[in-house]
Amino acid sequence: CPAGLQVVLDPAVPGYDSLKGKCGTGASVRCIGKLVKSPAAKQPVELLLKDPDDEVTLFGAVDSADYPMAKGKHSMEFLRSIGHLRPRAIIIASVARVRAALAQATHEFFRSRGFVYVHTPLITAADCEGAGEMFQVTTLMAEAEKKGLPMTPDKKIDYSQDFFGKPSFLTVSGQLSVENYCCALSNVYTFGPTFRAENSHTSRHLAEFWMIEPELAFADIKDDMDCAEDYLKYCVRYAMEHNRSDLEFFEKQVEKGLIARLENLLAEPFQRLTYTEAIDILKKEEKKAKFTQAVEWGMDLGSEHERYLAEKIYKKPTVLYNYPKDIKAFYMRLNDDNKTVAAMDVLAPGIGEVIGGSPREGRL
């Protein structure tokens, strides 16, 4: 947990002399003593070592002059420069614990509902999203400097000489593979790393991230929205129960009001409205909100529009559904109006879109 424990040592305790000049920030020690009430106001207990059977053992000494991490707070930029030590920072350790808990919650949620966990390939020849922004996997570059790239008679790269015999990439999604398993096993999900080669340096675009992709058999858009809402609430509740001290640390050091926002997410059902209803609301609010992008039906809503709905209008997670077909993927199920598809996005206050999904178009 992110909390510390003060250790009070009597100089007569075995092992005390080994600490002199070696027990700075980052040292590894084992302390055997008694947990007692602390006289200090900011800590309820402390570990007291003073009896003959108490002991301190130094496992790993640290020279404070050379150790790069001080006791206080460090910037994220600095922590990135010392990757081998940054897990020792409280914020990185807290993130790791919460992330581990959320991964555990993900598996518990889907397993408890009868979903089968499927491992999908990380290296693929398929561009699942159709965006073309993929990291290529090849062994041809190893010899390229010496011999040049192998070329075909029409002056294209000859991938028949590559490891896989064809152009291959890191996956952008496991969806294409896991759909096959859904047709055979009913409800399934995949949860693993995905990669995007988008040349965008913002917090909303990552080169590598883990994605949860469930596939529901015999389901409609309502089932999709229900699953998304239930999953988010399950994960938040799990973190609140198992990682409360880490969340309290984030509340204090990273984002004031975080716990209240999470409690609000659990307190009531998510707001649900159609894309068209959302556009009507945003048009009415446009003058007051001063959006940088004008609001019109058919547009792909920006983060400013999504967050305005979730943060200013409804003040809670909001689900938009029935989007214009022209701004969504080809495989999303067409509605009877022939203008919209049964797609949905979950918008969270402070973030924007966190989940997207839709029934598949199965009418050929």
Side-chain angles (χ1 to χ4, degrees):
C1 73
L5 175 65
Q6 178 170 283
V7 179
V8 180
L9 297 94
D10 187 291
V13 169
Y16 179 86
D17 291 338
S18 68
L19 304 180
K20 294 179 181 178
K22 300 178 181 178
C23 193
T25 300
S28 175
V29 298
R30 179 181 66 187
C31 298
I32 301 175
K34 295 170 181 64
L35 207 60
V36 299
K37 185 177 180 181
S38 176
K42 293 185 178 180
Q43 56 190 32
V45 295
E46 62 188 22
L47 188 63
L48 178 62
L49 281 68
K50 72 172 185 178
D51 295 336
D53 57 341
D54 294 339
E55 181 184 12
V56 59
T57 304
L58 179 65
F59 289 135
V62 168
D63 186 343
S64 299
D66 296 330
Y67 191 69
M69 295 183 68
K71 189 176 181 180
K73 186 178 180 181
H74 297 288
S75 69
M76 290 297 182
E77 288 73 18
F78 175 73
L79 292 176
R80 290 188 189 99
S81 71
I82 51 169
H84 62 302
L85 294 174
R86 68 177 181 176
R88 301 186 183 196
I90 295 176
I91 188 168
I92 301 298
S94 289
V95 168
R97 282 189 292 266
V98 172
R99 184 183 174 102
L102 294 176
Q104 181 71 23
T106 295
H107 290 300
E108 288 186 8
F109 174 84
F110 286 112
R111 283 179 62 87
S112 68
R113 285 157 176 77
F115 283 70
V116 177
Y117 179 33
V118 178
H119 293 167
T120 54
L122 297 186
I123 300 176
T124 178
D127 182 0
C128 180
E129 296 290 328
E133 296 166 329
M134 306 174 72
F135 289 105
Q136 190 163 2
V137 178
T138 179
T139 58
L140 294 178
M141 300 305 295
E143 298 294 324
E145 289 185 359
K146 299 177 184 177
K147 304 178 182 178
L149 288 171
M151 307 297 288
T152 63
D154 55 354
K155 297 186 177 180
K156 294 182 180 180
I157 296 175
D158 185 2
Y159 283 105
S160 67
Q161 299 185 41
D162 204 354
F163 186 90
F164 294 105
K166 64 176 73 174
S168 302
F169 309 89
L170 295 178
T171 185
V172 297
S173 169
Q175 174 184 309
L176 197 61
S177 296
V178 82
E179 283 178 350
N180 303 328
Y181 282 85
C182 181
C183 293
L185 304 176
S186 193
N187 293 349
V188 296
Y189 74 104
T190 182
F191 177 26
T194 53
F195 309 87
R196 305 287 173 94
E198 297 180 36
N199 190 22
S200 177
H201 304 282
T202 72
S203 61
R204 293 177 62 84
H205 294 87
L206 299 175
E208 177 184 349
F209 58 97
W210 281 56
M211 186 155 61
I212 301 105
E213 298 177 278
E215 294 289 336
L216 287 71
F218 311 108
D220 59 19
I221 185 68
K222 182 182 182 301
D223 299 315
D224 196 13
M225 292 189 287
D226 289 344
C227 181
E229 180 170 344
D230 291 345
Y231 168 69
L232 269 185
K233 287 185 173 181
Y234 187 96
C235 287
V236 170
R237 192 175 293 110
Y238 192 96
M240 296 281 275
E241 292 175 357
H242 294 82
N243 299 83
R244 183 78 186 199
S245 59
D246 292 307
L247 296 178
E248 288 173 348
F249 170 77
F250 295 148
E251 167 91 21
K252 182 179 179 181
Q253 297 291 338
V254 180
E255 180 185 344
K256 304 295 182 185
L258 171 64
I259 291 179
R261 184 150 63 88
L262 295 177
E263 290 173 341
N264 179 60
L265 182 148
L266 297 173
E268 55 185 283
F270 292 0
Q271 181 65 42
R272 298 183 184 185
L273 69 159
T274 66
Y275 169 92
T276 300
E277 291 169 336
I279 290 293
D280 291 341
I281 291 170
L282 291 171
K283 275 185 168 294
K284 293 175 182 177
E285 297 286 324
E286 193 167 14
K287 187 174 182 181
K288 180 174 66 174
K290 297 179 180 179
F291 298 125
T292 58
Q293 183 182 6
V295 178
E296 59 181 356
W297 198 95
M299 69 180 295
D300 194 357
L301 294 177
S303 179
E304 61 176 341
H305 307 111
E306 295 173 340
R307 292 186 60 178
Y308 192 88
L309 288 167
E311 296 171 20
K312 302 297 184 182
I313 301 298
Y314 297 109
K315 298 180 174 59
K316 63 178 180 179
T318 302
V319 185
L320 300 189
Y321 62 98
N322 289 350
Y323 279 82
K325 65 178 182 180
D326 292 337
I327 63 172
K328 289 296 183 180
F330 69 92
Y331 52 75
M332 296 183 174
R333 186 177 178 87
L334 186 66
N335 288 325
D336 293 339
D337 61 12
N338 206 37
K339 296 193 303 181
T340 63
V341 289
M344 70 90 192
D345 288 332
V346 180
L347 316 177
I351 302 173
E353 181 189 346
V354 292
I355 296 178
S358 76
R360 300 289 183 261
E361 182 57 79
R363 298 163 294 183
L364 301 177

mmCIF file of all heavy atoms in Angstrom, residues 293-325:
data_model
loop_
_atom_site.group_PDB
_atom_site.id
_atom_site.type_symbol
_atom_site.label_atom_id
_atom_site.label_comp_id
_atom_site.label_asym_id
_atom_site.label_seq_id
_atom_site.Cartn_x
_atom_site.Cartn_y
_atom_site.Cartn_z
ATOM 1 N N GLN A 293 -15.415 23.239 -32.394
ATOM 2 C CA GLN A 293 -15.956 22.641 -33.617
ATOM 3 C C GLN A 293 -17.474 22.772 -33.613
ATOM 4 O O GLN A 293 -18.133 22.409 -32.641
ATOM 5 C CB GLN A 293 -15.552 21.163 -33.699
ATOM 6 C CG GLN A 293 -16.003 20.472 -34.977
ATOM 7 C CD GLN A 293 -15.615 18.995 -35.000
ATOM 8 O OE1 GLN A 293 -15.098 18.465 -34.019
ATOM 9 N NE2 GLN A 293 -15.870 18.336 -36.132
ATOM 10 N N ALA A 294 -18.014 23.317 -34.680
ATOM 11 C CA ALA A 294 -19.463 23.522 -34.766
ATOM 12 C C ALA A 294 -20.201 22.190 -34.716
ATOM 13 O O ALA A 294 -19.727 21.172 -35.225
ATOM 14 C CB ALA A 294 -19.806 24.263 -36.059
ATOM 15 N N VAL A 295 -21.382 22.215 -34.122
ATOM 16 C CA VAL A 295 -22.181 20.998 -33.947
ATOM 17 C C VAL A 295 -23.144 20.835 -35.112
ATOM 18 O O VAL A 295 -23.901 21.759 -35.444
ATOM 19 C CB VAL A 295 -22.968 21.043 -32.622
ATOM 20 C CG1 VAL A 295 -23.831 19.790 -32.464
ATOM 21 C CG2 VAL A 295 -22.015 21.182 -31.450
ATOM 22 N N GLU A 296 -23.125 19.673 -35.738
ATOM 23 C CA GLU A 296 -24.073 19.379 -36.800
ATOM 24 C C GLU A 296 -24.276 17.867 -36.884
ATOM 25 O O GLU A 296 -23.378 17.083 -36.567
ATOM 26 C CB GLU A 296 -23.589 19.929 -38.144
ATOM 27 C CG GLU A 296 -22.251 19.377 -38.596
ATOM 28 C CD GLU A 296 -21.811 19.973 -39.921
ATOM 29 O OE1 GLU A 296 -22.592 20.754 -40.492
ATOM 30 O OE2 GLU A 296 -20.711 19.641 -40.382
ATOM 31 N N TRP A 297 -25.467 17.469 -37.300
ATOM 32 C CA TRP A 297 -25.769 16.045 -37.419
ATOM 33 C C TRP A 297 -24.873 15.418 -38.475
ATOM 34 O O TRP A 297 -24.707 15.950 -39.573
ATOM 35 C CB TRP A 297 -27.231 15.832 -37.804
ATOM 36 C CG TRP A 297 -27.714 14.438 -37.524
ATOM 37 C CD1 TRP A 297 -28.360 14.000 -36.425
ATOM 38 C CD2 TRP A 297 -27.549 13.284 -38.374
ATOM 39 N NE1 TRP A 297 -28.621 12.652 -36.502
ATOM 40 C CE2 TRP A 297 -28.132 12.173 -37.707
ATOM 41 C CE3 TRP A 297 -26.964 13.062 -39.613
ATOM 42 C CZ2 TRP A 297 -28.167 10.895 -38.224
ATOM 43 C CZ3 TRP A 297 -26.978 11.781 -40.147
ATOM 44 C CH2 TRP A 297 -27.578 10.719 -39.459
ATOM 45 N N GLY A 298 -24.288 14.278 -38.140
ATOM 46 C CA GLY A 298 -23.393 13.595 -39.062
ATOM 47 C C GLY A 298 -21.927 13.742 -38.709
ATOM 48 O O GLY A 298 -21.083 13.026 -39.249
ATOM 49 N N MET A 299 -21.622 14.656 -37.784
ATOM 50 C CA MET A 299 -20.233 14.870 -37.389
ATOM 51 C C MET A 299 -19.772 13.765 -36.448
ATOM 52 O O MET A 299 -20.574 13.120 -35.766
ATOM 53 C CB MET A 299 -20.080 16.225 -36.686
ATOM 54 C CG MET A 299 -20.754 16.270 -35.310
ATOM 55 S SD MET A 299 -20.589 17.868 -34.460
ATOM 56 C CE MET A 299 -18.841 17.948 -34.202
ATOM 57 N N ASP A 300 -18.482 13.549 -36.420
ATOM 58 C CA ASP A 300 -17.874 12.650 -35.442
ATOM 59 C C ASP A 300 -17.587 13.500 -34.207
ATOM 60 O O ASP A 300 -16.720 14.374 -34.241
ATOM 61 C CB ASP A 300 -16.592 12.047 -36.011
ATOM 62 C CG ASP A 300 -16.103 10.861 -35.200
ATOM 63 O OD1 ASP A 300 -16.732 10.558 -34.171
ATOM 64 O OD2 ASP A 300 -15.085 10.253 -35.583
ATOM 65 N N LEU A 301 -18.313 13.259 -33.146
ATOM 66 C CA LEU A 301 -18.201 14.099 -31.960
ATOM 67 C C LEU A 301 -16.776 14.118 -31.428
ATOM 68 O O LEU A 301 -16.110 13.091 -31.337
ATOM 69 C CB LEU A 301 -19.139 13.596 -30.861
ATOM 70 C CG LEU A 301 -20.640 13.698 -31.144
ATOM 71 C CD1 LEU A 301 -21.435 13.082 -29.998
ATOM 72 C CD2 LEU A 301 -21.051 15.143 -31.352
ATOM 73 N N GLY A 302 -16.311 15.312 -31.058
ATOM 74 C CA GLY A 302 -14.988 15.446 -30.482
ATOM 75 C C GLY A 302 -15.020 15.233 -28.976
ATOM 76 O O GLY A 302 -16.084 15.135 -28.360
ATOM 77 N N SER A 303 -13.859 15.208 -28.385
ATOM 78 C CA SER A 303 -13.764 15.011 -26.939
ATOM 79 C C SER A 303 -14.483 16.114 -26.180
ATOM 80 O O SER A 303 -15.107 15.873 -25.143
ATOM 81 C CB SER A 303 -12.293 14.956 -26.514
ATOM 82 O OG SER A 303 -12.176 14.791 -25.122
ATOM 83 N N GLU A 304 -14.443 17.344 -26.712
ATOM 84 C CA GLU A 304 -15.116 18.455 -26.027
ATOM 85 C C GLU A 304 -16.629 18.257 -25.978
ATOM 86 O O GLU A 304 -17.273 18.596 -24.972
ATOM 87 C CB GLU A 304 -14.779 19.774 -26.728
ATOM 88 C CG GLU A 304 -15.226 19.841 -28.188
ATOM 89 C CD GLU A 304 -14.956 21.194 -28.815
ATOM 90 O OE1 GLU A 304 -14.766 22.177 -28.065
ATOM 91 O OE2 GLU A 304 -14.937 21.267 -30.066
ATOM 92 N N HIS A 305 -17.194 17.680 -27.031
ATOM 93 C CA HIS A 305 -18.634 17.420 -27.051
ATOM 94 C C HIS A 305 -19.003 16.270 -26.119
ATOM 95 O O HIS A 305 -19.990 16.341 -25.373
ATOM 96 C CB HIS A 305 -19.095 17.091 -28.477
ATOM 97 C CG HIS A 305 -18.678 18.117 -29.488
ATOM 98 N ND1 HIS A 305 -17.741 17.844 -30.459
ATOM 99 C CD2 HIS A 305 -19.055 19.403 -29.674
ATOM 100 C CE1 HIS A 305 -17.571 18.914 -31.214
ATOM 101 N NE2 HIS A 305 -18.348 19.879 -30.759
ATOM 102 N N GLU A 306 -18.208 15.207 -26.178
ATOM 103 C CA GLU A 306 -18.480 14.033 -25.345
ATOM 104 C C GLU A 306 -18.395 14.387 -23.868
ATOM 105 O O GLU A 306 -19.263 14.025 -23.066
ATOM 106 C CB GLU A 306 -17.492 12.919 -25.688
ATOM 107 C CG GLU A 306 -17.645 12.389 -27.111
ATOM 108 C CD GLU A 306 -16.544 11.410 -27.493
ATOM 109 O OE1 GLU A 306 -15.474 11.419 -26.829
ATOM 110 O OE2 GLU A 306 -16.725 10.649 -28.458
ATOM 111 N N ARG A 307 -17.350 15.117 -23.502
ATOM 112 C CA ARG A 307 -17.168 15.458 -22.087
ATOM 113 C C ARG A 307 -18.207 16.478 -21.619
ATOM 114 O O ARG A 307 -18.614 16.453 -20.451
ATOM 115 C CB ARG A 307 -15.749 15.990 -21.857
ATOM 116 C CG ARG A 307 -14.672 14.927 -22.046
ATOM 117 C CD ARG A 307 -13.298 15.426 -21.667
ATOM 118 N NE ARG A 307 -13.240 15.836 -20.263
ATOM 119 C CZ ARG A 307 -12.133 16.271 -19.682
ATOM 120 N NH1 ARG A 307 -11.001 16.328 -20.365
ATOM 121 N NH2 ARG A 307 -12.146 16.622 -18.405
ATOM 122 N N TYR A 308 -18.665 17.339 -22.504
ATOM 123 C CA TYR A 308 -19.693 18.302 -22.114
ATOM 124 C C TYR A 308 -20.985 17.574 -21.734
ATOM 125 O O TYR A 308 -21.643 17.926 -20.748
ATOM 126 C CB TYR A 308 -19.958 19.280 -23.260
ATOM 127 C CG TYR A 308 -20.785 20.480 -22.845
ATOM 128 C CD1 TYR A 308 -20.178 21.619 -22.328
ATOM 129 C CD2 TYR A 308 -22.181 20.478 -22.972
ATOM 130 C CE1 TYR A 308 -20.932 22.719 -21.943
ATOM 131 C CE2 TYR A 308 -22.935 21.562 -22.586
ATOM 132 C CZ TYR A 308 -22.305 22.681 -22.065
ATOM 133 O OH TYR A 308 -23.063 23.765 -21.674
ATOM 134 N N LEU A 309 -21.324 16.560 -22.520
ATOM 135 C CA LEU A 309 -22.525 15.790 -22.208
ATOM 136 C C LEU A 309 -22.400 15.076 -20.867
ATOM 137 O O LEU A 309 -23.313 15.103 -20.039
ATOM 138 C CB LEU A 309 -22.788 14.766 -23.314
ATOM 139 C CG LEU A 309 -23.284 15.309 -24.655
ATOM 140 C CD1 LEU A 309 -23.185 14.237 -25.735
ATOM 141 C CD2 LEU A 309 -24.720 15.817 -24.535
ATOM 142 N N ALA A 310 -21.243 14.430 -20.651
ATOM 143 C CA ALA A 310 -21.057 13.636 -19.432
ATOM 144 C C ALA A 310 -20.806 14.489 -18.197
ATOM 145 O O ALA A 310 -21.235 14.138 -17.092
ATOM 146 C CB ALA A 310 -19.904 12.653 -19.629
ATOM 147 N N GLU A 311 -20.132 15.629 -18.376
ATOM 148 C CA GLU A 311 -19.715 16.431 -17.223
ATOM 149 C C GLU A 311 -20.659 17.588 -16.914
ATOM 150 O O GLU A 311 -20.881 17.903 -15.735
ATOM 151 C CB GLU A 311 -18.307 16.980 -17.464
ATOM 152 C CG GLU A 311 -17.238 15.905 -17.563
ATOM 153 C CD GLU A 311 -15.897 16.457 -18.019
ATOM 154 O OE1 GLU A 311 -15.674 17.683 -17.891
ATOM 155 O OE2 GLU A 311 -15.070 15.668 -18.519
ATOM 156 N N LYS A 312 -21.211 18.207 -17.943
ATOM 157 C CA LYS A 312 -22.027 19.408 -17.725
ATOM 158 C C LYS A 312 -23.530 19.126 -17.772
ATOM 159 O O LYS A 312 -24.288 19.690 -16.979
ATOM 160 C CB LYS A 312 -21.692 20.466 -18.787
ATOM 161 C CG LYS A 312 -20.232 20.872 -18.823
ATOM 162 C CD LYS A 312 -19.790 21.537 -17.536
ATOM 163 C CE LYS A 312 -18.340 22.021 -17.649
ATOM 164 N NZ LYS A 312 -17.860 22.628 -16.376
ATOM 165 N N ILE A 313 -23.947 18.269 -18.699
ATOM 166 C CA ILE A 313 -25.378 18.022 -18.859
ATOM 167 C C ILE A 313 -25.872 16.972 -17.866
ATOM 168 O O ILE A 313 -26.786 17.220 -17.068
ATOM 169 C CB ILE A 313 -25.702 17.578 -20.302
ATOM 170 C CG1 ILE A 313 -25.262 18.659 -21.308
ATOM 171 C CG2 ILE A 313 -27.202 17.304 -20.444
ATOM 172 C CD1 ILE A 313 -25.961 19.988 -21.138
ATOM 173 N N TYR A 314 -25.257 15.784 -17.895
ATOM 174 C CA TYR A 314 -25.765 14.671 -17.079
ATOM 175 C C TYR A 314 -24.951 14.422 -15.810
ATOM 176 O O TYR A 314 -25.439 13.784 -14.886
ATOM 177 C CB TYR A 314 -25.845 13.399 -17.922
ATOM 178 C CG TYR A 314 -26.825 13.542 -19.057
ATOM 179 C CD1 TYR A 314 -26.402 13.634 -20.382
ATOM 180 C CD2 TYR A 314 -28.190 13.629 -18.808
ATOM 181 C CE1 TYR A 314 -27.300 13.792 -21.423
ATOM 182 C CE2 TYR A 314 -29.103 13.785 -19.843
ATOM 183 C CZ TYR A 314 -28.646 13.862 -21.143
ATOM 184 O OH TYR A 314 -29.546 14.024 -22.166
ATOM 185 N N LYS A 315 -23.699 14.888 -15.811
ATOM 186 C CA LYS A 315 -22.829 14.754 -14.624
ATOM 187 C C LYS A 315 -22.675 13.304 -14.166
ATOM 188 O O LYS A 315 -22.623 13.010 -12.965
ATOM 189 C CB LYS A 315 -23.356 15.626 -13.472
ATOM 190 C CG LYS A 315 -23.366 17.121 -13.789
ATOM 191 C CD LYS A 315 -23.891 17.926 -12.617
ATOM 192 C CE LYS A 315 -23.770 19.419 -12.854
ATOM 193 N NZ LYS A 315 -24.484 19.904 -14.028
ATOM 194 N N LYS A 316 -22.595 12.404 -15.125
ATOM 195 C CA LYS A 316 -22.392 10.989 -14.837
ATOM 196 C C LYS A 316 -22.076 10.288 -16.160
ATOM 197 O O LYS A 316 -22.239 10.879 -17.248
ATOM 198 C CB LYS A 316 -23.627 10.370 -14.190
ATOM 199 C CG LYS A 316 -24.885 10.382 -15.063
ATOM 200 C CD LYS A 316 -26.037 9.706 -14.328
ATOM 201 C CE LYS A 316 -27.306 9.686 -15.165
ATOM 202 N NZ LYS A 316 -28.416 9.000 -14.448
ATOM 203 N N PRO A 317 -21.630 9.031 -16.114
ATOM 204 C CA PRO A 317 -21.370 8.314 -17.366
ATOM 205 C C PRO A 317 -22.595 8.309 -18.277
ATOM 206 O O PRO A 317 -23.730 8.132 -17.819
ATOM 207 C CB PRO A 317 -21.023 6.900 -16.899
ATOM 208 C CG PRO A 317 -20.452 7.101 -15.531
ATOM 209 C CD PRO A 317 -21.253 8.228 -14.937
ATOM 210 N N THR A 318 -22.347 8.512 -19.549
ATOM 211 C CA THR A 318 -23.421 8.674 -20.529
ATOM 212 C C THR A 318 -23.159 7.761 -21.729
ATOM 213 O O THR A 318 -22.028 7.673 -22.213
ATOM 214 C CB THR A 318 -23.483 10.141 -20.993
ATOM 215 O OG1 THR A 318 -23.698 10.986 -19.839
ATOM 216 C CG2 THR A 318 -24.605 10.354 -21.990
ATOM 217 N N VAL A 319 -24.211 7.089 -22.189
ATOM 218 C CA VAL A 319 -24.085 6.176 -23.327
ATOM 219 C C VAL A 319 -24.828 6.776 -24.519
ATOM 220 O O VAL A 319 -26.034 7.031 -24.448
ATOM 221 C CB VAL A 319 -24.668 4.785 -23.000
ATOM 222 C CG1 VAL A 319 -24.397 3.825 -24.162
ATOM 223 C CG2 VAL A 319 -24.072 4.239 -21.711
ATOM 224 N N LEU A 320 -24.110 6.999 -25.607
ATOM 225 C CA LEU A 320 -24.718 7.434 -26.864
ATOM 226 C C LEU A 320 -24.849 6.226 -27.791
ATOM 227 O O LEU A 320 -23.943 5.389 -27.852
ATOM 228 C CB LEU A 320 -23.865 8.506 -27.545
ATOM 229 C CG LEU A 320 -23.600 9.816 -26.802
ATOM 230 C CD1 LEU A 320 -22.934 10.814 -27.734
ATOM 231 C CD2 LEU A 320 -24.876 10.389 -26.229
ATOM 232 N N TYR A 321 -25.946 6.154 -28.523
ATOM 233 C CA TYR A 321 -26.127 5.028 -29.440
ATOM 234 C C TYR A 321 -26.866 5.487 -30.698
ATOM 235 O O TYR A 321 -27.382 6.601 -30.771
ATOM 236 C CB TYR A 321 -26.872 3.879 -28.756
ATOM 237 C CG TYR A 321 -28.273 4.194 -28.281
ATOM 238 C CD1 TYR A 321 -29.382 3.856 -29.048
ATOM 239 C CD2 TYR A 321 -28.495 4.829 -27.062
ATOM 240 C CE1 TYR A 321 -30.672 4.131 -28.614
ATOM 241 C CE2 TYR A 321 -29.776 5.119 -26.617
ATOM 242 C CZ TYR A 321 -30.860 4.764 -27.397
ATOM 243 O OH TYR A 321 -32.140 5.059 -26.972
ATOM 244 N N ASN A 322 -26.912 4.609 -31.688
ATOM 245 C CA ASN A 322 -27.511 4.895 -33.000
ATOM 246 C C ASN A 322 -26.802 6.059 -33.696
ATOM 247 O O ASN A 322 -27.367 7.139 -33.899
ATOM 248 C CB ASN A 322 -29.009 5.164 -32.870
ATOM 249 C CG ASN A 322 -29.790 3.912 -32.542
ATOM 250 O OD1 ASN A 322 -29.258 2.805 -32.584
ATOM 251 N ND2 ASN A 322 -31.059 4.069 -32.197
ATOM 252 N N TYR A 323 -25.555 5.808 -34.062
ATOM 253 C CA TYR A 323 -24.721 6.816 -34.729
ATOM 254 C C TYR A 323 -24.958 6.814 -36.240
ATOM 255 O O TYR A 323 -25.374 5.797 -36.801
ATOM 256 C CB TYR A 323 -23.248 6.502 -34.476
ATOM 257 C CG TYR A 323 -22.713 6.968 -33.138
ATOM 258 C CD1 TYR A 323 -22.918 6.203 -31.991
ATOM 259 C CD2 TYR A 323 -21.982 8.143 -33.025
ATOM 260 C CE1 TYR A 323 -22.413 6.609 -30.760
ATOM 261 C CE2 TYR A 323 -21.473 8.556 -31.808
ATOM 262 C CZ TYR A 323 -21.691 7.790 -30.685
ATOM 263 O OH TYR A 323 -21.188 8.194 -29.476
ATOM 264 N N PRO A 324 -24.647 7.921 -36.923
ATOM 265 C CA PRO A 324 -24.716 7.930 -38.396
ATOM 266 C C PRO A 324 -23.809 6.850 -38.972
ATOM 267 O O PRO A 324 -22.677 6.667 -38.528
ATOM 268 C CB PRO A 324 -24.215 9.340 -38.768
ATOM 269 C CG PRO A 324 -24.486 10.172 -37.557
ATOM 270 C CD PRO A 324 -24.302 9.266 -36.388
ATOM 271 N N LYS A 325 -24.306 6.148 -39.971
ATOM 272 C CA LYS A 325 -23.551 5.018 -40.523
ATOM 273 C C LYS A 325 -22.243 5.460 -41.170
ATOM 274 O O LYS A 325 -21.278 4.693 -41.221
ATOM 275 C CB LYS A 325 -24.412 4.256 -41.539
ATOM 276 C CG LYS A 325 -24.781 5.058 -42.791
ATOM 277 C CD LYS A 325 -25.596 4.215 -43.754
ATOM 278 C CE LYS A 325 -25.923 4.996 -45.025
ATOM 279 N NZ LYS A 325 -26.712 4.189 -45.980
#
